[in-house]
Structure formats: structure tokens, C-alpha cells
């Protein structure tokens, strides 16, 4: 798998297909493979005639593991995406995130709008600006000796997922503690690129997609029926909605 260095941080990525580029930014405790390859996103987007680039976020997958929460500031994590665009000499692209990856994508849509043709925010709704998502209970669960030592139900869910993906628990705990800065309401209002907000109808982590859609001016909302935060990722409605959205913005 190719990689590049963004400063001292090594970032692993995949780059497949030809056509308009789309960057995929995975969620917390996941990886490019778990979030995008295994659920069929890479093959689906390639079939749609797109060049698909997906990275492992710092602290995740095959990228460098860092243990200082300050190294996971959300803007620093988002800057890895821009650094990869520069490394590949891609001036502008569509960017799709999921959960934490959507927080990163929203930061890019606000800070670097000239680099985005569009932003797709999967698995995040009003939680982008009003909290939600995993908290300190999850960091504590990640640092526990084993899953059996975790009583908190949300902590157990994320710890089990981290165990399943063979993640570095200490790096994930640092990431969770360092990436918590929420976007302000005014920052969301100021986003001026086409945005698709895609959230499962049973997602209790993301917060309301409709509420976020009322704040971001050029946004559309896609409800993914009968899916929670974990099960929405590979859903056919999600994939069809994204492909339709990309076709519209062209």
C-alpha cells in the first residue's frame, strides 16, 4: 500500500481508478479498508467512472500511531487530506467523510473551499456543532485491559469495534481526546460548497441530519432508512444517493 509523509507523520492511502477524483475519509476506530473497501464503496465509485483515493487517518490503519492528543487536533487531521491532494497533484476534488471523517471534511469545506467540488458528510448531523459522538467513556473503554473490563454500553460498542479492526487502542484514545473540537454554528453557516448530509434514520450518535441541513446553506439531506451509525456505511440507498448527488453537481 502506498504512503507519504506529511511532516513527520506517515499516511497510508490507496489510489484506484480513473476519472474525477473523490477522496474518502473514514470514521473513528475504522480504516480505509473497513469503511470503504470492504463495504464496496471503492468498487462502486470506480464503476461510476471515478478515481478513488482513500487514506488511513493518523492513528488508524496503516498510518503512523501517535500518542499525544494534541497531534489529533481536528484541523491537523484534516490537513492530512490536503497534504495527500498536494502529494498527488490534485488541485480540487469531491471529499466524502464518515463520522469523524465528516468532521474533518466539514473543516476542509470551511477552511479550504477552493479545494472541494463538493462535501459529503456521512454519519454526522447536528452533532457536528452540538456534540454527540463518543466521549471520555469511550477513551476509558479503549484503555481498559480487555473488553470484559468495560461496563459502559457505548464504551463496549467502540471497544469491540476497535478489537475487531485490530486497532492501536492507546492511539485511538489519544485521537478521541484530541479531536473533540466542535464546529461552531457560524462556521457551518459559512460553508459554501455543495453538501450532502447522509445519516441513518436509526443513528443515535450523529444527531439530526435535517437540523444540520437547515444550517448549511447549499446542503441536501439523505435519510438512510432503518440503519444505525454502524450499519449505514455500506447501505445501497447511501451509495445510490451519493452517486446521484455527484452527478447533479456536475
Amino acid at each position: 500500500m502506498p504512503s507519504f509523509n506529511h511532516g513527520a507523520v506517515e499516511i497510508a492511502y490507496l489510489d484506484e481508478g480513473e476519472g474525477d477524483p473523490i477522496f474518502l475519509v473514514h470514521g473513528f476506530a475504522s480504516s480505509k479498508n473497513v469503511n470503504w473497501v470492504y463495504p464496496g464503496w471503492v468498487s462502486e465509485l470506480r464503476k461510476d467512472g471515478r478515481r478513488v483515493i482513500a487514506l488511513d487517518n493518523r492513528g488508524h490503519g496503516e498510518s503512523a500511531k501517535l500518542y499525544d492528543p494534541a497531534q489529533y487536533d481536528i484541523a491537523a487531521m484534516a490537513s492530512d487530506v490536503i497534504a495527500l491532494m498536494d502529494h498527488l497533484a490534485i488541485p480540487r476534488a469531491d471529499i466524502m467523510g464518515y463520522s469523524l471523517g465528516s468532521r474533518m471534511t466539514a473543516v476542509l469545506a470551511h477552511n479550504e473551499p477552493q479545494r472541494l467540488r463538493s462535501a459529503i458528510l456521512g454519519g454526522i448531523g447536528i452533532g457536528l456543532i452540538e456534540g454527540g459522538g463518543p466521549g471520555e467513556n469511550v477513551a476509558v473503554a479503549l484503555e481498559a485491559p480487555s473488553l470484559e473490563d468495560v461496563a459502559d454500553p457505548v464504551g463496549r460498542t467502540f471497544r469491540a469495534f476497535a478489537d475487531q479492526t485490530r486497532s492501536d487502542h492507546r492511539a485511538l484514545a489519544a485521537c478521541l481526546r484530541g479531536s473533540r473540537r466542535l464546529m461552531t454554528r457560524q462556521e457551518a453557516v459559512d460553508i459554501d460548497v455543495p453538501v450532502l448530509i447522509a445519516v441513518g434514520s436509526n443513528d443515535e450518535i450523529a444527531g439530526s441530519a435535517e437540523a444540520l441541513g437547515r444550517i448549511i446553506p447549499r446542503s441536501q439531506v439523505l435519510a438512510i432508512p432503518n440503519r444505525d451509525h454502524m450499519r449505514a456505511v455500506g447501505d445501497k440507498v447511501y451509495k445510490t444517493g451519493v452517486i446521484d448527488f455527484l452527478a447533479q453537481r456536475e
Side-chain angles (χ1 to χ4, degrees), residues 4 7 124 153 184 218 240:
F4 78 108
I124 197 71
T184 68
R218 300 172 63 190
T240 300

Side-chain angles (χ1 to χ4, degrees), residues 59-178:
H60 295 72
E62 298 171 87
S63 290
K65 308 304 184 292
L66 312 170
Y67 303 105
D68 178 358
Q71 294 176 295
Y72 293 98
D73 174 83
I74 196 74
M77 293 189 73
S79 74
D80 291 334
V81 181
I82 297 297
L84 178 54
M85 293 177 74
D86 292 343
H87 174 71
L88 297 174
I90 296 174
R92 197 160 172 255
D94 300 290
I95 302 182
M96 174 163 66
Y98 196 83
S99 197
L100 172 62
S102 289
R103 293 180 183 274
M104 295 163 59
T105 301
V107 167
L108 295 177
H110 178 268
N111 293 352
E112 304 272 359
Q114 73 282 2
R115 305 299 300 269
L116 278 72
R117 297 180 70 171
S118 72
I120 300 162
L121 308 181
I124 197 71
I126 198 64
L128 179 70
I129 62 175
E130 292 184 0
E136 181 62 21
N137 55 328
V138 174
V140 170
L142 288 164
E143 293 174 328
S146 71
L147 180 62
E148 288 68 35
D149 296 292
V150 180
D152 177 80
V154 177
R156 281 185 66 85
T157 297
F158 277 92
R159 174 57 187 262
F161 184 59
D163 288 352
Q164 180 187 345
T165 55
R166 299 180 181 178
S167 299
D168 184 318
H169 297 156
R170 197 158 62 91
L172 290 184
C175 174
L176 183 56
R177 292 182 173 122

Side-chain angles (χ1 to χ4, degrees), residues 19 25 49 53 100 119 143 169 173-174 184 196 201 203 214 223 233 243:
V25 191
I53 301 107
L100 172 62
E143 293 174 328
H169 297 156
T184 68
L196 178 68
S201 62
D203 190 333
R214 289 192 290 270
V233 176
I243 287 169

